[in-house]
């Protein structure tokens, strides 16, 4: 089950994720550019507003396919509109909970960014991502490790974050 998710849903959350995507793209893009090839079938699990999904679709080209999966229908609708606006026919957005989603040997590359941090059982999702890969597929995760997270003097938000990540 997803622990208390810190990204707001809906349009406000989409705008916030768009800003984060712009900030992080200079590091995410070189990573993906080195892995995503023309014609690949790719998964972006927990795709949020779809910014990385759309970037992956450009790298995979017209012969490739990229699927973005998220639980926020409003963000997904906005992502679909953006894909249409950019005339990308090789991208699909699906509304699904990562703990209920399952596919076998469907992708050449499975990717997640800042998803596992928000999950009480991230290992089970990594296992599902691995099952979704074809033989020789690539699993890519960009995430945060809060194990060394602390604040001095102690602050309630810091304590809450530390205790929620300890359950993961």
């Amino acid at each position: 089950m997803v622990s208390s998710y810190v990204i707001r849903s809906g349009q406000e959350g989409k705008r916030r994720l768009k800003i984060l995507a712009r900030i992080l793209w200079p590091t995410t893009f070189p990573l993906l550019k080195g892995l995503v090839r023309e014609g690949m079938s790719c998964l972006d699990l927990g795709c949020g507003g779809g910014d990385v999904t759309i970037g992956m679709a450009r790298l995979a080209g017209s012969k490739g396919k990229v699927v973005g999966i998220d639980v926020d229908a409003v963000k997904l609708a906005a992502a679909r509109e953006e894909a249409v606006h950019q005339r990308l026919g090789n991208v699909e957005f699906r509304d699904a909970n990562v703990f209920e989603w399952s596919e076998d040997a469907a992708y050449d590359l499975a990717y997640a960014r800042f998803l596992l941090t928000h999950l009480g059982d991230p290992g089970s999702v990594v296992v599902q991502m691995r099952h979704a890969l074809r033989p020789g597929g690539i699993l890519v995760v960009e995430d945060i490790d809060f194990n060394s997270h602390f604040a001095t003097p102690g602050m309630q938000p810091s304590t809450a974050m530390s205790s929620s990540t300890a359950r993961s």
Side-chain angles (χ1 to χ4, degrees):
M1 182 88 50
V2 176
S3 61
S4 56
Y5 186 53
V6 296
I7 305 286
R8 287 192 174 123
S9 62
Q11 288 297 331
E12 187 176 341
K14 168 75 168 125
R15 284 189 295 275
R16 183 173 184 268
L17 288 176
K18 187 102 171 139
I19 292 167
L20 286 171
R22 263 186 270 152
I23 291 167
L24 296 168
W25 193 242
T27 55
T28 297
F29 177 70
L31 171 67
L32 293 175
K33 187 176 180 190
L35 298 172
V36 178
R37 299 284 177 245
E38 181 97 17
M40 286 179 90
S41 178
C42 302
L43 168 70
D44 183 3
L45 192 61
C47 69
D51 296 294
V52 173
T53 315
I54 287 171
M56 290 170 70
R58 291 192 173 290
L59 292 170
S62 60
K63 294 181 181 173
K65 178 167 178 98
V66 180
V67 175
I69 295 177
D70 202 273
V71 295
D72 189 328
V74 174
K75 286 180 192 152
L76 290 173
R80 286 183 192 105
E81 287 177 21
E82 183 64 27
V84 168
H85 176 74
Q86 293 192 31
R87 296 187 172 119
L88 292 171
N90 65 335
V91 65
E92 175 187 349
F93 291 98
R94 298 181 193 161
D95 185 350
N97 180 311
V98 297
F99 290 111
E100 297 166 2
W101 161 83
S102 174
E103 292 182 79
D104 289 319
Y107 302 99
D108 301 307
L109 183 141
Y111 172 86
R113 180 171 75 183
F114 304 145
L115 170 67
L116 303 180
T117 300
H118 302 286
L119 305 178
D121 184 11
S124 68
V125 173
V126 172
V127 169
Q128 283 306 111
M129 290 175 74
R130 176 60 192 99
H131 285 292
L133 289 171
R134 295 178 178 135
I138 303 165
L139 192 141
V140 183
V141 174
E142 288 186 276
D143 221 306
I144 300 168
D145 180 2
F146 283 110
N147 287 329
S148 62
H149 181 262
F150 64 93
T152 303
M155 296 170 26
Q156 200 286 323
S158 174
T159 304
M161 177 60 80
S162 295
S163 66
S164 72
T165 58
R167 292 189 307 256
S168 297

